Amino acid sequence: DLLETVDHGLQMVIKASLDHPTAVIVGCPYRVEDRLYNCAAVIQNGQLLALIPKSALPTDREFEERRHFSAAPLNMRTLETVHGPVQFGIHQLFTDTTQDVQFGVEICEDAWVPHAPHDALFAAGADLVVNLSASNYTLGKARRRRVLCEAASLKASGAYAYISAGLGESTTDIAFDGHAIYAERGTTLFESKRFAQSAIVTYADVDLAPIRAERMRRNHDRTIYSKTHQTHRLSFNAIPLEKPLRAFSRTPFTQIGLTDEALWETFEIQSYGLARRMQAMGRPKIILGISGGLDSTHAALVAVEALIRCGQPRTDLIAVGMPGLGSSTHTQDNARELADLLGATYMSRDISDAAYRELKAIHHKSFKNADDAYDTWRATLTKEDADITFENVQARLRTLTLMSLANQQGGFVLGTGDLSEKALGWSTYAGDQIAHYDINAGVPKTLIRHLISWVAKERTIQWAGHDAERLSTLLSEIIGTPISPELVPGELSDGIQKTEATIGDYDLNDFFLYHWIAEGRPLRSVLRIAAQSFAPDMAEEHIRSQLKSFIRRFVTQQFKRSATPDGPKVLGLSLSPRGDWRFPSDMSPAHFYRELDE
């Protein structure tokens, strides 16, 4: 009676699927000759495409599957059924050639055993593996299921959907919670409400672009599976979504790294990397240009921790303030106070006069009269005078000052440029682009603020004692200071020179960096999800314009990254030519513009 009723129900689903193009996967017991199999039926467009029998049959504790079912046979076969010819066997792959997407199916215990079917399915090219389970619930099982799904998707750089029985199941001796999980590349992204009192549909979308990009990067050898598993392929029709179901964070790097544990790990990577470099160099002093801005402040905090690790006094951090033609008193005061509170050695070396002399020596256009003294020259500066040469002379003089002090003090120069700046080429070649070690090279700008806040919470009492509250307050003030290179006098730039007025919002730039470079998405996809994520605060045309600016900077400034100093990788992305990133320095951005506009 049960098998006849199941067959009738299966026929109802097959008939209903004529009106709905969705591929449907349902669980059912199915008799083949004189054996009974625990199966998943794959249905679409009024056709039963395949039956996938379960391989691993548990017989422990509450499970007695071998009492009723037979394990899946090793060989694929075609069954002649009342529903027409049906493929029967494991390792079946369902392919939509027009959408270039593939999925496979396994059942419950199959996922919990070594050499699971999903390993072979992923190796054969499945983007998604679906698991149908009648998994009863016991305390703590939800976490174990998540770990299982995340591990399967992580190993394969793919997607894994787990759907368990729930509402309507018998509770004679066990209970069912209706747990549904969607994991992608090691992370649970969608999850159902368990023990629901009514039927609930859990939706998830499969994000193919980063799956494909990561698989190409990892380039795993799949021949070991092809020799032992023969995968049968069937066609189905996939349904592309016009709009993603998932929401994308405006700050994806902070979404990854904003927990206390992640912030601690980031700080540990940086401080350990710096300490190891110092130990290899014989524990030298650290020469750091400190401006009162975000990056140099964070570099100073990491340097203090590294000195403690090396057993060196904090006075071995030589923090050098180098006010120039555009420096503000506020940031210089913050830099000096920060050094004092950290117990570092503070030096001030004003580069304004040296910049004046260098600009005069090269006959810069700012000199209306070649004999003008400094005060006269400074008083006659105009906006047009503050060109790239005007700015870069100061940046290179600062680096020259730091390198000279490193020789004099027996130290090495700690760079401050972050991952976002390296992506944008926002540095002066042979200026702040070089250092002996680039401590922030692996940390994007959108994460720096949160790292400083974490240090203010976790380290200030340890470092500053009775001055801890003042140090914490100062760090908060620095976080709130507008980002500026301070290379142009305020009177020539309508107030403080703001970096984001030139290169665009860092939130957007880091969004582009993450999704285009780290995730490997096509640029049209990056634009689409950026427009979705930043609406209604930003118009799509503004986002498109800044994306083009990002492309131009990223492509044309590769020559700076090709000569980047050593620095520790922190996130899953590095732009070091010795690490993740290989890119020619003479590529044109024109191709990428065309891709974006197509």
Side-chain angles (χ1 to χ4, degrees), residues 404-425:
S404 300
L405 284 171
N407 291 147
Q408 184 186 59
Q409 297 289 331
F412 78 112
V413 176
L414 188 63
T416 63
D418 60 49
L419 181 65
S420 307
E421 292 178 342
K422 290 191 178 297
L424 293 161

Side-chain angles (χ1 to χ4, degrees), residues 365-539:
K365 65 180 183 180
S366 59
F367 282 85
K368 314 315 186 280
N369 186 330
D371 296 328
D372 280 347
Y374 175 84
D375 290 340
T376 303
W377 168 78
R378 181 70 184 263
T380 58
L381 287 174
T382 65
K383 287 185 178 182
E384 290 70 28
D385 293 331
D387 59 8
I388 189 69
T389 306
F390 183 92
E391 294 191 25
N392 284 354
V393 159
Q394 296 174 77
R396 293 191 177 101
L397 282 170
R398 284 174 173 152
T399 300
L400 174 62
T401 299
L402 295 173
M403 289 291 180
S404 300
L405 284 171
N407 291 147
Q408 184 186 59
Q409 297 289 331
F412 78 112
V413 176
L414 188 63
T416 63
D418 60 49
L419 181 65
S420 307
E421 292 178 342
K422 290 191 178 297
L424 293 161
W426 188 245
S427 62
T428 299
Y429 195 78
D432 53 317
Q433 172 260 342
I434 61 171
H436 291 119
Y437 198 67
D438 251 359
I439 196 58
N440 290 332
V443 184
K445 184 75 76 178
T446 47
L447 192 54
I448 292 279
R449 282 191 174 96
H450 298 288
L451 282 165
I452 296 174
S453 293
W454 179 85
V455 172
K457 181 178 68 172
E458 298 291 337
R459 291 289 194 273
T460 50
I461 293 178
Q462 175 187 341
W463 290 350
H466 64 276
D467 289 326
E469 185 176 348
R470 177 53 197 155
L471 176 56
S472 181
T473 301
L474 177 62
L475 293 176
S476 296
E477 290 177 11
I478 291 171
I479 289 170
T481 300
I483 301 170
S484 171
E486 294 197 331
L487 294 170
V488 177
E491 64 270 18
L492 303 185
S493 56
D494 301 319
I496 296 174
Q497 182 188 13
K498 294 182 179 178
T499 297
E500 289 177 294
T502 302
I503 63 173
D505 310 273
Y506 268 115
D507 281 359
L508 263 182
N509 284 322
D510 279 0
F511 189 94
F512 301 149
L513 175 63
Y514 179 84
H515 287 288
W516 187 35
I517 304 303
E519 294 283 84
R521 296 181 191 278
L523 284 165
R524 293 184 301 279
S525 173
V526 174
L527 176 61
R528 185 170 62 252
I529 64 175
Q532 173 189 332
S533 300
F534 287 88
D537 299 325
M538 293 185 188

